[in-house]
Amino acid sequence: MGLEEKLPSGFLLSTVEAAAGWVRKASMWPATFGLACCAIEMMAVGTPDYDIARFGMERFSATPRQADLMIVAGRVSQKMAPVLRQVYDQMPDPKWVIAMGVCASSGGMFNNYAIVQGVDHVVPVDIYLPGCPPRPQMLLNAIIELHKQIQTTPLGVNREAAARAAEEAALRETPTHQMKGLLA
Ligand code: SF4
């Protein structure tokens, strides 16, 4: 059955934002950031068993300039953090980040000087995926959740501007005596 048979009057009403969200979520290219054991599970989603291509991700991009999703799979060492940030900065907007596994999300069991205690100290994170390691099905579920976020994100939303606006709104609600302490 073709699409035209499902549309009673032969036309479809939507918004540009909904159409853009649908297109964006259905054609993401991940830039991999496999750093440790979690990367093995991430690689598994590309195999026929899990088939990440079903979600519009035909391939993992070898260059960040052609990628809009960073999957941080594994612990992030202090030495690797600036490299990770550089790769993120090279990705064109709009872009998204999944912290895969407890190490990427919070440092996990590596609570020591050498490991960044959560990749959100380095780049903004959209989805935190628990597990050690998370199974490939869990990564696919995280991608589906991210798709829902993307579908409802208004066009033109700039992450930094949105964060600044939230910060200013929080400051406006802060009692003056506390604000003096914050500004001091
Ligand atoms: S969460 Fe577990 S599997 Fe993933 S990188 Fe850390 S130790 Fe390895």
Side-chain angles (χ1 to χ4, degrees):
M1 182 187 291
L3 182 62
E4 61 282 357
E5 291 168 44
K6 291 183 177 174
L7 301 174
S9 313
F11 66 89
L12 181 65
L13 290 179
S14 185
T15 62
V16 174
E17 279 184 348
W22 183 65
V23 170
R24 281 178 174 170
K25 75 175 187 186
S27 61
M28 299 177 84
W29 281 1
T32 57
F33 221 88
L35 294 167
C37 5
C38 272
I40 304 299
E41 302 297 314
M42 178 181 68
M43 284 184 255
V45 299
T47 63
D49 274 355
Y50 301 103
D51 191 13
I52 199 175
R54 288 177 294 157
F55 302 94
M57 299 175 174
E58 298 300 332
R59 66 174 180 86
F60 283 83
S61 182
T63 165
R65 298 195 189 281
Q66 293 177 352
D68 48 11
L69 170 64
M70 175 182 269
I71 302 172
V72 184
R75 53 191 172 268
V76 183
S77 68
Q78 296 287 354
K79 275 193 171 180
M80 188 54 84
V83 181
L84 188 144
R85 180 68 208 200
Q86 190 174 13
V87 170
Y88 176 82
D89 287 339
Q90 288 174 341
M91 291 165 59
D93 280 317
K95 52 193 168 187
W96 298 273
V97 176
I98 294 177
M100 181 180 180
V102 290
C103 289
S105 299
S106 67
M109 78 259 325
F110 299 99
N111 184 11
N112 62 45
Y113 68 92
I115 300 297
V116 176
Q117 298 301 293
V119 71
D120 53 6
H121 290 285
V122 185
V123 293
V125 172
D126 298 283
I127 298 274
Y128 297 88
L129 178 55
C132 177
R135 297 282 296 128
Q137 296 95 325
M138 293 170 70
L139 178 57
L140 292 177
N141 187 58
I143 289 168
I144 291 168
E145 288 302 317
L146 182 61
H147 282 179
K148 290 180 194 165
Q149 280 187 26
I150 294 169
Q151 179 68 68
T152 53
T153 303
L155 278 182
V157 168
N158 172 298
R159 201 194 299 261
E160 275 83 21
R164 254 197 322 275
E167 210 170 284
E168 283 164 14
L171 268 180
R172 272 197 298 278
E173 286 170 18
T174 307
T176 318
H177 66 281
Q178 285 181 21
M179 198 179 290
K180 278 181 190 147
L182 287 173
L183 297 175

